[in-house]
Amino acid sequence: MTIVRLHPNPSLLAVSAAGHFLEQAKAAIQTKGRFNVALSGGSTPRATYELLASQPYATSLDWGKVHVFWGDERCVPPDHPDSNYRMAWEILLNRVPIPPENIHRMQGEAEPELAAKEYEQLMRNHFTQGDDYQYVKFFDLILLGLGEDGHIASLFPGSPALGEKERWVMAVEHNQPPPPLVNRLTLTLPMLNAATQVTFLVAGAGKAHILKQVWSSTVDGQPVLPAQLVQPASGNLLWLVEEAAIRA
Ligand code: 6PG
């Protein structure tokens, strides 16, 4: 099921997103004893992470049962200004009582292909017992932003990674000056679409153009933008959107 909630400004969007995060976390902890969440990078989620680190949110959750992953990461060290881990650590994770072993960082400093393989193994060890697995609903919540070109996580338009059906994590190129550079790590669509809940956070008039395309345009009836390929197999899709992002 897909739901869209509109918010008059980014602050109220963050309040809605923080409440949603808590709701999803408490439900998962109650039913499974733990909450597996994949965080988004980018600027939009920052206000939500700030709220989650503040009262009453920070003490409303048993952070010892929260396991944090990332939907994608830049191939940079964890202390690099571009690191999605650093952003979440400084704004949220360093300010709540989450055990270090519950923070599952993509190793942006490692050789990308190796880092992708290692993160996939880390996820396998966390989510499944052995190799006999089907795409069960691994993540209880995946937060995504929307790129102005329609990308999600680090799945960019035209990327071969969009067609990946087996791997859970890939090292991919992001458009950089030639030569092409493999400089991002990303969860793949099968992993995103295996989640119980996928939630987009979209704010700013700058996203109005792409959001209109994501919600309305197809080619020969087929979705073409990465964001359109986020179709949780049996989970729910929620769009938390600032009103400025839907004005045509
Ligand atoms: C990243 C994100 C990326 C982001 C979008 C939207 O690593 O940057 O994963 O997919 O969510 O580019 O970014 P903004 O929220 O900054 O608009």
Side-chain angles (χ1 to χ4, degrees):
M1 175 172 63
T2 300
I3 295 176
V4 177
R5 286 188 197 142
L6 298 180
H7 305 77
N9 58 57
S11 302
L12 289 175
L13 190 158
V15 168
S16 173
H20 173 64
F21 184 102
L22 275 190
E23 190 181 283
Q24 297 297 316
K26 288 180 177 177
I29 290 168
Q30 187 170 1
T31 55
K32 300 188 330 181
R34 68 184 187 180
F35 174 54
N36 297 313
V37 57
L39 299 181
S40 172
S43 57
T44 305
R46 295 175 67 101
T48 300
Y49 299 165
E50 288 277 2
L51 266 185
L52 288 170
S54 67
Q55 295 307 337
Y57 302 91
T59 51
S60 303
L61 189 54
D62 182 351
W63 289 93
K65 293 181 177 160
V66 176
H67 285 267
V68 169
F69 296 77
W70 275 261
D72 71 323
E73 184 55 282
R74 290 82 183 278
C75 294
V76 294
D79 60 353
H80 190 283
D82 290 349
S83 165
N84 288 338
Y85 161 81
R86 173 176 162 179
M87 183 266 279
W89 169 256
E90 289 181 343
I91 294 179
L92 171 59
L93 301 175
N94 187 29
R95 299 164 60 196
V96 293
I98 184 170
E101 63 271 21
N102 287 22
I103 301 174
H104 308 287
R105 179 176 73 81
M106 290 181 167
Q107 296 191 36
E109 70 278 20
E111 191 281 321
E113 290 296 343
L114 181 62
K117 286 187 175 63
E118 289 187 348
Y119 203 70
E120 177 157 336
Q121 192 55 56
L122 179 158
M123 289 168 67
R124 284 177 192 273
N125 297 342
H126 181 79
F127 285 115
T128 62
Q129 306 306 322
D131 285 336
D132 178 19
Y133 66 87
Q134 291 302 317
Y135 279 125
V136 296
K137 293 181 184 175
F138 296 149
F139 284 107
D140 302 298
L141 174 62
I142 296 180
L143 295 178
L144 292 175
L146 176 64
E148 293 197 10
D149 59 358
H151 79 258
I152 40 122
S154 284
L155 294 169
F156 295 92
S159 168
L162 291 168
E164 177 62 33
K165 297 287 185 256
E166 294 305 320
R167 283 178 286 180
W168 298 3
V169 188
M170 288 180 76
V172 297
E173 294 175 10
H174 178 43
N175 53 340
Q176 294 283 318
L181 192 61
V182 173
N183 62 350
R184 292 283 187 105
L185 299 169
T186 187
L187 298 187
T188 58
L189 280 165
M191 186 47 68
L192 299 180
N193 286 329
T196 300
Q197 175 68 51
V198 179
T199 299
F200 276 94
L201 306 182
V202 185
K207 297 289 173 69
H209 177 68
I210 191 64
L211 190 57
K212 187 173 181 181
Q213 284 188 57
V214 168
W215 282 353
S216 61
S217 67
T218 56
V219 172
D220 300 333
Q222 293 304 310
V224 287
L225 293 166
Q228 294 174 316
L229 301 174
V230 177
Q231 302 163 8
S234 56
N236 296 312
L237 180 59
L238 173 64
W239 291 84
L240 298 180
V241 178
E242 184 194 3
E243 287 168 6
I246 56 164
R247 286 194 195 107

